[in-house]
Each structure stands twice: as structure tokens, then as C-alpha cells.
Amino acid sequence: MKMLISPLGMSPGLLYSALYHVKPDFLFCLTSEKGKERLLDIMEKAGYMGGYSVFIVDDPFTSFHETEMVWKSLKDLLDFDAEIVVNITGGTTALQYLVQKTAERLENQGFLVKTIALIDRRSRSEQENNPYIPGEIVYL
């Protein structure tokens, strides 16, 4: 099983690209209530048919303190044999921080974690007008 852990902000392109390139069996997405409204559309556009779980932060700009709550939401979904891919791009700084802290905790627990970043070199207006164009993936 392959699990993708990813933040989602208000721009759908990075999560779309992550789903497009990684092709996970399961998605664990960290986002806000407003970001969650876009999730089903992003998954549909990416042709994603796997399972998913969403962690909603209280405030996407100040949720740095929610690391333990993220872990509690994630830990029962984990399979020790799973390939875990963590996307560190997308969303607010706080969402990216939560994702990175989750990756560190997974590694400390003995999970094999691959970290990725997505890049979209198009102009901001191009990205907004047509977000569903796969960007580049970089394995870190």
C-alpha cells in the first residue's frame, strides 16, 4: 500500500500534481474547512479512486500546535509495510510544518518515508486559470 500525506491550501494544483505522480492507494490530507471543499474535485480531476482521510485544522495560519492531534488522527490508518510519501508543498506555512513534523515522527517510529516537493513553473495566473496541469515532482 502507498499512502500520500499532503497539505491542501486554496490552490488545488499541487495536490493534483501529487496525486497524479504518486498514484497512492490512500490520501491523508491536512487542510482547512474551506480547503476541504475543493478536495473531491481535485481527486476527481486526478482520476484518484483510492481511500482518503481529512484532518481539518482549526486555523490554517496558526495551527502549528496541532502536531499531536494530527498524529492521533493518522496513527490508526498506518500500515507498517506501507510506502509513505510526504508532500511538503502546498497550503500555508503552518500546514507544511504539520506535514514535516508528521514525517519526522513517522521516521522516528521506523516507517520508511519518501519526501517530495511539487513545482509548477507556470505564471500565477496560468496556475489559477488551469490548475489541473501536472507540475514537476522532485524526490528529496
Side-chain angles (χ1 to χ4, degrees):
M1 180 179 107
K2 187 185 295 185
M3 176 185 276
L4 173 64
I5 299 173
S6 181
L8 170 60
M10 297 314 300
S11 299
L14 293 171
L15 179 56
Y16 168 83
S17 291
L19 290 168
Y20 175 87
H21 287 292
V22 174
K23 298 182 182 7
D25 300 300
F26 193 86
L27 169 65
F28 184 78
C29 183
L30 291 85
T31 191
S32 64
E33 281 291 345
K34 193 165 184 166
K36 182 183 176 189
E37 294 172 7
R38 306 185 115 194
L39 184 58
L40 293 178
D41 189 49
I42 295 166
M43 293 188 304
E44 180 183 323
K45 295 281 196 286
Y48 179 70
M49 306 288 278
Y52 68 97
S53 179
V54 181
F55 181 86
I56 304 293
V57 296
D58 289 332
D59 180 337
F61 298 99
T62 62
S63 58
F64 299 97
H65 63 284
E66 294 186 43
T67 54
E68 192 60 33
M69 289 180 283
V70 170
W71 180 252
K72 285 179 182 177
S73 294
L74 175 63
K75 69 180 181 176
D76 291 335
L77 302 172
L78 295 169
D79 175 353
F80 198 75
D81 295 325
E83 177 183 350
I84 300 173
V85 180
V86 176
N87 172 25
I88 61 167
T89 51
T92 62
T93 302
L95 288 171
Q96 292 172 358
Y97 174 83
L98 290 173
V99 166
Q100 289 177 329
K101 286 298 180 185
T102 299
E104 289 173 14
R105 189 157 185 179
L106 286 163
E107 288 173 336
N108 290 338
Q109 298 278 333
F111 288 91
L112 176 62
V113 177
K114 294 180 182 176
T115 306
I116 62 168
L118 285 304
I119 302 166
D120 190 338
R121 298 180 190 268
R122 299 176 301 147
S123 71
R124 186 80 187 142
S125 64
E126 285 179 89
Q127 291 178 39
E128 289 172 1
N129 290 333
N130 191 2
Y132 301 115
I133 301 289
E136 300 169 45
I137 187 169
V138 177
Y139 285 87
L140 306 174

